[in-house]
């Protein structure tokens, strides 16, 4: 009995000692705890990390991990913690010299990266991305000889990459993208043979790709985009057998198409757009089993010749803005294609639309705009309408009628056939396009009445009928309210006629308030496959052609100019609180300008010129602070010009040919008396000529969300002497891209 008690006693002692020993080993070391607390105190505005205090074991603190045996801190992960300060050269952080992982991602850090970082020589993972760090990458980064993951992207780092980076032989993941780094890429980077991810995009690197890069045979993803790299890509890229993602877009690369790239078995996405590559393209010995879902962007280059039939093996193809002129043999290969996105816009194609396009039954995006295709739009395109989201055929030479082929086009969101020679009537099968958001048929020869029946389409945001031969009224009293989601309507330069009742605009709810829709985002569109894809918005303003790439989703515009409308301007126009542009010029509207226009507090452009309006300009229009462009010329207006900065900044021509208007002294910089004897101005003696012409058209694509919306608007006024003096129409075209 005594022996058994002794046995139990010794066992209990052993368990107790083992527990105490284990507990001691797991505890955070005091100097490590103190270093962490000192590091926390370096950030006075830090409200997080409340668990960090002396009364608890630092190994149990949030975002801290200790070694199970030694109790030393080995991991410190503080992603998205608002530090709002800089890293000090003598920071207590650098006392934690057993750290193997340090993540300060998105911590609002600023200032320079201290060279003291090199003291953390045991680091294998370092992430300082998405901060506001400045200065150069310290040379001491070369002391981190064990590091395998280094991410300094999305900061404001400058200067050259330090040569010491060549010592990081274990590096597998190197991301320096989205900074302001300069110079040539070090040839010694070719020594980092373990690299499988290389991100150098969106910097200011120059020069060529070093030959030593051929040593990086483990690379899986390469991002060299948005730099100033030039010269040729390596002619033989067959050694990169692991490569799946290759982005060299927006550089100055030149030379021939790298055919060897497309022999790589795992290649999935290639972005070579916006360079100076030239000559024909050839995909080499690509097999039917390789690259089954390849995304290939070759846009904005100088490629010529044929589009090879091999595109049938790809998923998403963008060959826009090149000089392709023909197609390879229309092969049977295309019958089993899985292409979903095909962009051949802005090339040199001529003649009829090739019939094989009708075999691409998986297409949801087709852009053939800005070419010289001719003949009729083939009826066989009805085979594609079941899957199509966007069909863009604008700016070609298509003739005949627009086929009645949309019965099954229930997924169609964008249809643009503008700037062709189409005639006849709008196809009634468009009524089946329940998801249609944008319809543009401008600048054709379509002769039809106003399509009231489109008013029932629940998603229609943009309707552009400009410059056709439409005729008749745009109001029918027996029809229920439609077009409730319109954001932009342009029916200018047609033969529409009749009067508009006072309540005409009462049901245009999407112009009265912002109506959120599932596909809404800030710029009316989302990128597809991470790359923006859209047409442009062209704007002729004061004789200067301007090209914009996006229109904000809060843009609202009405253009009824150049028709035969008469009677009063509907008072309900004042309900459209979100309206930015209103053009009712060159009609026969009469009587007073409605006072309700003063309710349009977001209005930026107003043109009521060349009507038969009378009475005074409403004084409260002077309170529209965003109203920067206005035109009241060629009416019968009278009385004083409203006071207000916006009016005083207008040109005299905005009020001309209203003999009874007065108060123009400050605007015209000359004496202007009331009731002068009417005289023909020099402007009136010249032929009418359009000077201001706003055209807005934007398309973006995003799978599952807003797959495309093009916004268009034209704001037109006539030739004025001052405009012609400063912005003559004979000046060369100038294109300006908007920044969104």
């Amino acid at each position: 009995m005594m022996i058994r008690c002794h046995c139990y006693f010794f066992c209990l002692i052993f368990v107790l000692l083992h527990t105490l020993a284990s507990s001691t080993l797991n505890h955070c070391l005091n100097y490590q705890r103190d270093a962490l607390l000192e590091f926390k105190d370096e950030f006075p505005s830090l409200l997080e990390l409340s668990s960090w205090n002396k009364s608890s074991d630092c190994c149990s603190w949030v975002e801290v991990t200790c070694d199970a045996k030694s109790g030393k801190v080995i991991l410190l992960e503080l992603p998205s913690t608002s530090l709002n300060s800089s890293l000090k050269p003598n920071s207590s952080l650098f006392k934690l010299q057993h750290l193997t992982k340090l993540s300060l991602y998105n911590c609002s850090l600023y200032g320079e990266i201290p060279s003291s970082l090199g003291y953390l020589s045991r680091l294998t993972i370092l992430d300082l991305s998405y901060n506001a760090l400045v200065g150069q990458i310290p040379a001491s980064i070369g002391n981190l000889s064990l590091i395998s993951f280094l991410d300094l992207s999305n900061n404001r780092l400058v200067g050259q990459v330090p040569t010491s980076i060549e010592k990081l032989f274990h590096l597998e993941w190197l991301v320096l993208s989205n900074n302001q780094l300069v110079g040539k890429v070090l040839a010694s980077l070719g020594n980092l043979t373990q690299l499988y991810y290389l991100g150098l995009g969106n910097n200011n690197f120059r020069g060529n790709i070093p030959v030593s890069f051929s040593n990086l045979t483990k690379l899986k993803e390469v991002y060299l985009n948005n730099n100033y790299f030039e010269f040729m890509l390596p002619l033989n890229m067959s050694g990169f057998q692991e490569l799946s993602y290759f982005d060299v877009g927006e550089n100055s690369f030149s030379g021939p198409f790298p055919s060897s790239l497309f022999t790589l078995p795992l290649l999935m996405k290639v972005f070579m757009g916006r360079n100076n590559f030239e000559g024909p393209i050839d995909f080499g010995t690509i097999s039917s089993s390789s690259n089954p879902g390849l995304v290939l962007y070759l846009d904005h280059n100088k490629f010529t010749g044929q589009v090879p039939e091999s595109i049938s093996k790809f998923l998403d193809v963008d060959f826009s803005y090149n000089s392709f002129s023909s197609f390879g043999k229309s092969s049977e290969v295309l019958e089993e294609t899985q292409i979903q996105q095909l962009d051949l816009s802005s090339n040199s194609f001529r003649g009829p639309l090739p019939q094989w396009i009708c075999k691409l039954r998986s297409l949801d995006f087709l852009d053939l705009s800005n070419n010289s295709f001719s003949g009729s739009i083939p009826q066989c395109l009805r085979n594609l309408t079941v899957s199509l989201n966007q069909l863009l055929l604008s700016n070609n030479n298509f003739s005949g009628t627009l086929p009645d082929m949309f019965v099954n086009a229930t997924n169609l969101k964008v249809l643009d056939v503008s700037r062709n020679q189409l005639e006849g009537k709008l196809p009634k099968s468009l009524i089946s396009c329940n998801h249609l958001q944008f319809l543009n048929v401008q600048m054709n020869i379509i002769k039809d009445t106003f399509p009231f029946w489109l008013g029932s389409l629940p998603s229609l945001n943009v309707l552009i009928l400009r410059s056709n031969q439409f005729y008749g009224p745009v109001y029918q009293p027996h029809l229920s309210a439609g077009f409730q989601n319109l954001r932009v309507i342009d029916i200018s330069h047609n033969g529409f006629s009749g009067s508009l009742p006072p309540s005409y605009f009462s049901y245009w709810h999407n112009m009265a308030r912002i109506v959120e829709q599932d596909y809404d985002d800030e710029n009316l569109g989302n990128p597809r496959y991470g790359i923006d894809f859209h047409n442009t918005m062209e704007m002729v303003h004061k004789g200067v052609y301007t090209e914009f790439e996006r229109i904000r989703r809060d843009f609202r515009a009405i253009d009824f100019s150049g028709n035969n409308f008469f009677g009063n301007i509907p008072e309900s126009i004042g309900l459209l609180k979100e309206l930015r542009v209103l053009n009712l010029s060159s009609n026969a509207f009469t009587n007073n300008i409605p006072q309700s226009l003063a309710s349009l507090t977001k209005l930026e452009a107003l043109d009521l010129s060349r009507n038969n309006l009378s009475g005074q300009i409403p004084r409260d229009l002077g309170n529209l602070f965003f109203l920067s462009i206005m035109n009241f010329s060629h009416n019968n207006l009278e009385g004083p010009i409203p006071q207000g900065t916006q009016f005083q900044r207008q040109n005299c021509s905005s009020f001309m040919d209203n003999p009874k208007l007065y108060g123009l002294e400050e605007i015209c910089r000359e004496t202007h008396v009331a009731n002068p004897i009417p005289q023909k101005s020099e402007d009136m003696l010249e032929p009418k000529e359009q000077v201001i012409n706003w055209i807005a058209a934007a398309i973006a694509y995003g799978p599952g969300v807003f797959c495309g919306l093009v916004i268009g608007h034209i704001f037109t006024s006539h030739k004025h002497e001052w405009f012609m003096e400063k912005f003559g129409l004979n000046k060369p075209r100038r294109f300006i891209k908007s920044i969104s």
Side-chain angles (χ1 to χ4, degrees):
M1 186 69 176
M2 181 66 68
I3 295 174
R4 182 177 298 177
C5 288
H6 280 297
C7 227
Y8 285 144
F9 175 76
F10 284 117
C11 286
L12 182 61
I13 293 296
F14 176 79
V15 171
L16 182 60
L17 289 174
H18 180 75
T19 302
L20 288 173
S22 300
S23 175
T24 302
L25 289 175
N26 281 323
H27 271 265
C28 173
L29 302 178
N30 288 340
Y31 78 93
Q32 300 255 296
R33 178 200 62 199
D34 293 342
L36 285 170
L37 290 175
E38 289 171 9
F39 176 66
K40 177 186 175 183
D41 291 340
E42 292 171 15
F43 305 98
S45 63
L46 183 59
L47 301 177
E48 303 167 62
L49 308 180
S50 58
S51 65
W52 289 27
N53 57 71
K54 286 189 175 183
S55 62
S56 59
D57 181 2
C58 75
C59 293
S60 66
W61 292 352
V62 63
E63 316 296 6
V64 176
T65 303
C66 298
D67 181 76
K69 293 183 178 180
S70 68
K72 294 172 181 176
V73 176
I74 56 173
L75 304 182
L76 180 58
E77 302 173 87
L78 301 173
S80 300
T81 302
S82 298
L83 299 180
N84 292 306
S85 187
S86 60
L87 282 176
K88 297 175 176 59
N90 60 347
S91 172
S92 296
L93 172 67
F94 305 122
K95 296 178 181 178
L96 303 173
Q97 295 185 12
H98 292 273
L99 278 177
T100 60
K101 179 178 181 179
L102 175 61
S103 176
L104 300 178
Y105 157 87
N106 192 30
C107 288
S108 301
L109 287 171
Y110 53 84
E112 297 187 356
I113 300 175
S115 60
S116 316
L117 187 68
Y119 294 147
L120 304 180
S121 58
R122 291 181 173 86
L123 280 179
T124 59
I125 296 174
L126 174 61
D127 189 352
L128 300 179
S129 62
Y130 288 91
N131 285 290
L133 297 169
V134 298
Q136 298 188 353
I137 300 173
S140 63
I141 203 86
N143 296 339
L144 309 182
S145 57
L146 301 178
I147 200 162
S148 61
F149 180 104
L150 176 60
D151 191 346
L152 304 179
S153 65
N154 294 279
N155 281 286
R156 301 170 188 169
L157 301 173
V158 298
Q160 299 186 5
V161 177
T163 56
S164 59
I165 205 167
E166 66 187 26
K167 301 176 183 178
L168 308 182
F169 299 114
H170 297 283
L171 206 56
E172 299 176 353
W173 185 289
L174 174 61
V175 194
L176 305 177
S177 53
N178 294 295
N179 281 289
Q180 301 165 31
L181 300 171
V182 299
K184 294 183 177 181
V185 173
L186 299 172
S188 55
L189 283 184
N191 298 332
L192 307 181
T193 56
Q194 301 303 309
L195 273 182
Y196 67 81
Y197 187 106
L198 177 61
L200 303 179
N202 288 287
N203 280 288
N204 297 310
F205 292 120
R206 296 180 178 274
N208 61 336
I209 302 300
V211 176
S212 61
F213 264 44
S214 60
N215 299 333
L216 307 181
T217 56
K218 293 185 179 182
L219 280 174
K220 296 181 179 180
E221 299 189 30
V222 176
Y223 301 84
L224 306 179
N225 55 295
N226 294 83
N227 280 286
Y228 297 96
F229 290 119
E230 51 190 354
F231 305 114
M232 296 169 54
L233 292 176
L235 289 178
N236 186 0
M237 303 185 70
S238 59
F240 299 99
Q241 292 292 304
E242 303 294 321
L243 194 63
S244 63
Y245 199 117
F246 185 66
D247 188 352
V248 294
E250 299 199 45
N251 280 285
S252 298
F253 287 114
S254 57
F257 182 72
S259 299
S260 61
L261 180 65
F262 295 89
T263 64
L264 304 179
L266 302 179
L267 198 63
M268 294 299 296
K269 295 182 181 180
V270 176
F271 299 94
M272 296 172 53
R274 298 181 185 273
N275 280 285
N276 297 309
F277 295 111
E278 57 189 356
I281 62 175
D282 178 13
F283 295 116
T285 57
I286 184 172
S287 66
S288 59
S289 60
S290 62
N291 316 101
L294 182 66
V295 174
L296 176 59
Y297 280 57
L298 303 181
D299 58 289
H300 293 84
N301 279 287
K302 300 175 182 178
F303 291 117
T304 58
Q306 293 185 342
V307 172
E309 66 274 11
S310 306
I311 63 170
S312 63
K313 301 181 176 66
F314 303 150
L315 181 68
D316 182 2
V317 175
D318 184 355
F319 288 179
S320 64
Y321 291 92
N322 282 284
S323 297
F324 293 112
S325 57
S326 61
F327 299 93
K329 53 186 178 182
S330 83
S331 63
E332 295 73 16
V333 179
L334 287 163
E335 293 187 1
E336 298 182 1
T337 181
Q338 297 300 309
I339 291 182
Q340 294 180 10
Q341 328 279 339
L342 178 60
D343 186 354
L344 302 176
S345 65
S346 301
N347 277 283
S348 301
F349 297 113
R350 294 180 177 275
L353 201 64
Q355 294 288 315
W356 58 260
I357 287 182
C358 297
K359 298 179 181 180
L360 309 181
R361 296 177 181 270
S362 298
L363 274 183
D364 59 40
F365 181 95
L366 177 61
D367 189 351
L368 304 176
S369 60
N370 300 313
N371 283 287
S372 296
F373 288 115
S374 58
S376 60
I377 297 175
Q379 288 277 354
C380 65
L381 282 181
R382 72 172 64 247
N383 298 336
L384 310 182
T385 56
V386 174
S387 59
L388 272 179
N389 283 318
Q390 298 188 47
L391 177 59
L392 310 174
L393 304 177
S394 64
N395 204 20
N396 281 284
N397 296 315
F398 289 118
S399 56
T401 60
L402 180 60
D404 201 7
M405 59 183 184
F406 302 100
V407 172
N408 297 315
T410 54
N411 293 311
L412 191 65
K413 293 182 172 67
V414 174
L415 176 62
D416 190 346
V417 294
S418 61
R419 299 174 184 268
N420 282 286
Q421 301 170 34
L422 299 174
E423 54 189 13
K425 298 185 176 183
L426 286 180
K428 289 294 178 62
S429 58
L430 285 172
I431 195 65
S432 301
C433 304
N434 289 328
H435 292 93
L436 191 66
Q437 297 165 9
F438 169 80
L439 175 62
N440 187 356
V441 300
Q442 74 167 334
M443 297 186 72
N444 281 286
I445 324 170
I446 296 173
K447 189 172 184 178
D448 200 354
T449 57
F450 185 76
F452 294 100
W453 42 278
L454 289 176
S456 62
L457 296 180
S459 301
L460 188 62
N461 287 157
V462 180
L463 177 63
I464 305 177
L465 308 180
R466 169 185 166 85
S467 297
N468 278 280
Q469 296 179 14
F470 288 97
Y471 61 92
V474 296
Y475 170 73
Q476 290 186 354
H478 62 280
L479 291 179
S480 59
F483 300 105
Q484 297 188 19
N485 275 316
L486 272 185
R487 300 181 179 191
V488 174
I489 180 170
D490 182 355
I491 60 173
S492 62
H493 300 283
N494 281 286
F496 292 117
S497 59
S499 61
L500 306 177
S503 62
Y504 183 75
F505 298 108
S506 298
Y507 299 99
W508 292 19
H509 298 314
N510 212 337
M511 293 195 188
R513 63 184 185 278
I514 294 293
V515 179
E516 298 296 338
Q517 293 175 267
D518 291 341
Y519 48 78
D520 273 348
D521 80 344
E522 185 176 0
N523 290 299
L524 288 174
N526 290 296
R528 63 189 176 106
Y529 295 104
I531 298 296
D532 287 337
F533 193 88
H534 42 72
N535 279 353
T536 58
M537 177 191 85
E538 187 179 276
M539 192 180 212
V540 185
H541 179 51
K542 295 183 180 178
V544 179
Y545 282 80
T546 308
E547 181 182 350
F548 295 88
E549 290 193 343
R550 295 191 184 170
I551 291 293
R552 292 181 59 87
R553 68 173 180 84
D554 56 3
F555 183 72
R556 303 290 187 273
I558 295 174
D559 192 343
F560 281 19
S561 64
N563 284 287
N564 299 308
F565 296 115
F566 56 84
N568 292 350
I569 297 174
E571 193 74 26
S572 57
I573 191 71
L575 298 174
L576 309 184
K577 307 291 187 184
E578 299 298 322
L579 198 61
R580 304 299 177 104
V581 176
L582 176 61
N583 190 352
L584 303 178
S585 65
S586 298
N587 282 286
F589 287 112
T590 56
N591 297 324
N592 294 339
I593 298 173
Q595 293 284 340
S596 62
L597 281 178
S599 301
L600 305 182
T601 56
K602 296 184 179 180
L603 197 64
E604 299 171 8
L606 172 65
D607 192 348
L608 302 179
S609 65
R610 299 185 183 273
N611 281 284
N612 296 314
L613 298 169
S614 58
Q616 297 187 6
I617 299 175
R619 182 179 59 184
D620 290 343
L621 291 184
N623 298 326
L624 299 181
F625 299 114
F626 293 106
L627 187 57
S628 58
I629 298 175
M630 60 185 79
N631 194 345
F632 300 96
S633 63
H634 306 290
N635 280 288
N636 300 309
L637 299 170
E638 60 186 46
I641 298 294
Q643 297 299 307
T645 305
Q646 287 70 27
F647 277 85
Q648 300 304 311
R649 288 176 177 172
Q650 298 305 305
N651 188 262
C652 187
S653 57
S654 296
F655 306 97
M656 68 186 306
D657 198 23
N658 288 284
K660 296 182 180 181
L661 274 181
Y662 59 88
L664 290 169
E665 292 82 0
E666 289 297 319
I667 298 173
C668 297
R669 305 297 180 188
E670 62 185 33
T671 303
H672 187 97
V673 297
N675 303 317
I677 299 174
Q679 294 182 352
K680 288 188 176 180
S681 66
E682 182 180 344
D683 181 87
M684 293 294 290
L685 295 174
E686 296 179 353
K688 296 179 181 178
E689 186 170 3
Q690 179 177 312
V691 171
I692 302 178
N693 175 20
W694 293 9
I695 304 174
I699 290 181
Y701 181 86
V705 284
F706 176 24
C707 295
L709 183 58
V710 179
I711 286 221
H713 185 72
I714 304 164
F715 179 91
T716 305
S717 70
H718 291 267
K719 179 178 179 182
H720 303 313
E721 180 180 350
W722 182 83
F723 287 145
M724 295 304 297
E725 177 185 347
K726 295 188 178 294
F727 305 99
L729 289 178
N730 293 324
K731 292 186 179 181
R733 280 183 74 147
R734 174 185 172 205
F735 289 95
I736 304 171
K737 292 186 178 179
S738 69
I739 300 174
S740 51

